[in-house]
Amino acid sequence: MITRDRALLARLATVNRTLGGVVSDLMAHQDDGQLPGPRLRELADALRQVADDMRARADELTGATDTSSRTADE
């Protein structure tokens, strides 16, 4: 599991290193101040995937089976 945990942390580190550039790109491609929907959705999907993977791993580590703490749209 250590290898898997390290891979997860490496993915998170990559997100951390690249997020500023992605946000700058979104800002540069605004249309009259409005964010580009497809690019914003792509970013949201990528962030959600890594967040979901982190939550799943945390649940495995704690033996969590109760999902009541999650938001209604999950």
Side-chain angles (χ1 to χ4, degrees):
M1 292 298 181
I2 292 173
T3 301
R4 192 168 129 207
D5 291 344
R6 287 184 186 193
L8 182 59
L9 291 175
R11 283 178 50 212
L12 185 58
T14 298
V15 168
N16 185 48
R17 280 193 308 274
T18 60
L19 188 57
V22 171
V23 170
S24 292
D25 183 66
L26 279 172
M27 291 172 63
H29 290 92
Q30 287 179 294
D31 184 16
D32 289 327
Q34 187 171 9
L35 290 169
R39 288 180 182 203
L40 186 60
R41 183 175 291 111
E42 185 178 330
L43 174 59
D45 290 345
L47 292 172
R48 181 163 192 143
Q49 183 61 56
V50 76
D52 286 348
D53 291 348
M54 290 182 345
R55 180 182 290 270
R57 182 61 179 137
D59 288 349
E60 289 174 12
L61 292 168
T62 60
T65 56
D66 178 23
T67 59
S68 63
S69 64
R70 295 190 181 175
T71 59
D73 63 348
E74 290 186 61

